[in-house]
Amino acid sequence: MIKTLFTEFRTLTLIVIIILLTITIALAFNWFLNRFIKKSLLNHHKDLTGFLFIKHISTALIYVVGIACALVQIPEFKIVGHSLLAGAGVVSLIAGLASQQALSNIMSGILIVIFKPFRVNDKITIRESFTGIVEDINLRQVVIRDFENNRIIVPNSVISSDLIINAHLGDTKCCKMIDIGIGYSSNVEQALDIMKEEVAKHPLHIDPRNKEDLENKVPPVIARVTALNDSSVNLRVWAWAANSADAFVLQCDLLQNIKKRFDDAGIEIPFPQRTVTFPNTMDKNEI
């Protein structure tokens, strides 16, 4: 009896030691990666997407090995533990215990890291409504930080099959189309000139022309009449910035500056007006 209790106590102690050692190794491993490798990548302006994904996978493998070593100490689970350590039963064990959705997320995450439709620190838009900066890509999900500092959690299997707008894939330049309507009595040529002048002198505006455009003497800023609506002449000017963040500031400044210039020049920006009429049959005594 005493020998049995001693054996069980020794087994329990060994399991606790293995679990604590596994946690310590995982924490030390993550500390090492964050301390040296991540710092080195950031100093050399390297992509962190693959690093973060490998870190998640490596940490998961450390825990799997640690759990397998702990299971080996229990006679009833010794076969499972040996299977994990040997690696022969890893795939079948995961397939049996994990759900199809979990496996789909893992495979989708691997494909995202391999083909790179987006990377960490890219600005993306999904489903035409959620926009933010990619913070992390792990085994299950993608973490996106929106501009209100909220975190949008999207499963890998969902985002890999969805339509994605990536503002940083390839060329980072961003074009903003400034649309403004003016009254029919206003001077259209003067309004177009004002819009082009405000765009050209803004410090965040960049020249998007290539060598061929320069040879063909394409103007640096283009403005056009885009529509003749019921109550306004619609004008549009194209403004280019180095990236999407600068483009947003550029758009806001231009709307304010163009409005001020239009006011000074007497160019009307129409707004909806309604005329209310009463029927002639109404009794004058009821008014």
Side-chain angles (χ1 to χ4, degrees):
M1 181 68 178
I2 297 176
K3 184 178 181 180
T4 303
L5 291 175
F6 177 76
T7 303
E8 292 179 354
F9 176 77
R10 186 181 62 179
T11 302
L12 180 61
T13 304
L14 188 58
I15 291 174
V16 172
I17 293 174
I18 292 174
I19 292 175
L20 292 177
L21 186 61
T22 301
I23 295 174
T24 303
I25 293 174
L27 293 176
F29 178 77
N30 284 326
W31 178 86
F32 173 78
L33 290 181
N34 292 328
R35 176 73 176 179
F36 296 102
I37 300 180
K38 184 177 181 179
K39 185 177 180 180
S40 176
L41 291 175
L42 289 174
N43 290 338
H44 293 86
H45 305 287
K46 300 293 185 179
D47 180 28
L48 294 177
T49 304
F51 161 77
L52 292 175
F53 197 78
I54 291 174
K55 185 180 78 169
H56 292 309
I57 292 180
S58 301
T59 304
L61 289 176
I62 291 173
Y63 281 112
V64 168
V65 173
I67 293 172
C69 292
L71 290 175
V72 168
Q73 309 307 317
I74 305 174
E76 291 80 2
F77 294 97
K78 186 171 291 187
I79 296 177
V80 178
H82 281 302
S83 297
L84 284 175
L85 287 175
V90 172
V91 176
S92 59
L93 185 63
I94 293 177
L97 299 178
S99 65
Q100 183 179 358
Q101 188 64 36
L103 288 173
S104 177
N105 287 329
I106 293 174
M107 291 304 301
S108 298
I110 294 174
L111 293 176
I112 289 173
V113 173
I114 292 175
F115 294 104
K116 289 183 172 58
F118 55 85
R119 298 170 297 180
V120 173
N121 296 324
D122 280 3
K123 176 190 172 185
I124 65 173
T125 300
I126 58 174
R127 298 188 176 181
E128 300 182 356
S129 56
F130 300 106
T131 301
I133 306 298
V134 178
E135 275 196 340
D136 190 16
I137 304 172
N138 56 44
L139 294 175
R140 181 186 178 276
Q141 63 210 9
V142 175
V143 181
I144 302 172
R145 184 186 75 250
D146 68 9
F147 299 113
E148 295 180 351
N149 207 35
N150 300 313
R151 268 56 179 184
I152 304 171
I153 311 299
V154 186
N156 292 334
S157 59
V158 173
I159 199 169
S160 64
S161 60
D162 208 343
L163 178 65
I164 303 171
I165 300 175
N166 190 340
H168 290 87
L169 187 62
D171 193 355
T172 60
K173 294 195 298 294
C174 183
C175 178
K176 287 292 184 180
M177 295 177 287
I178 313 298
D179 293 306
I180 300 179
I182 65 173
Y184 274 90
S185 60
S186 300
N187 189 323
V188 174
E189 288 75 16
Q190 184 184 11
L192 291 172
D193 289 339
I194 289 175
M195 295 173 72
K196 289 187 287 187
E197 290 171 6
E198 289 300 319
V199 171
K201 71 180 184 181
H202 196 283
L204 294 180
H205 174 70
I206 63 173
D207 191 345
R209 296 175 296 175
N210 54 33
K211 184 178 180 180
E212 183 179 354
D213 293 335
L214 293 173
E215 292 176 352
N216 294 330
K217 296 182 180 181
V218 175
V221 181
I222 298 176
R224 294 278 190 269
V225 176
T226 58
L228 300 176
N229 286 339
D230 293 339
S231 59
S232 66
V233 178
N234 284 9
L235 311 180
R236 173 178 293 175
V237 64
W238 286 263
W240 287 83
N243 52 61
S244 57
D246 287 351
F248 177 76
V249 177
L250 174 65
Q251 181 184 32
C252 296
D253 290 347
L254 288 177
L255 289 173
Q256 179 179 352
N257 297 338
I258 293 173
K259 171 65 169 60
K260 183 178 179 181
R261 289 284 304 275
F262 278 7
D263 291 343
D264 295 339
I267 297 175
E268 176 192 8
I269 298 179
F271 53 89
Q273 301 183 32
R274 292 182 179 180
T275 302
V276 180
T277 59
F278 296 94
N280 295 328
T281 57
M282 183 179 293
D283 190 350
K284 294 182 179 181
N285 295 328
E286 296 179 359
I287 301 178

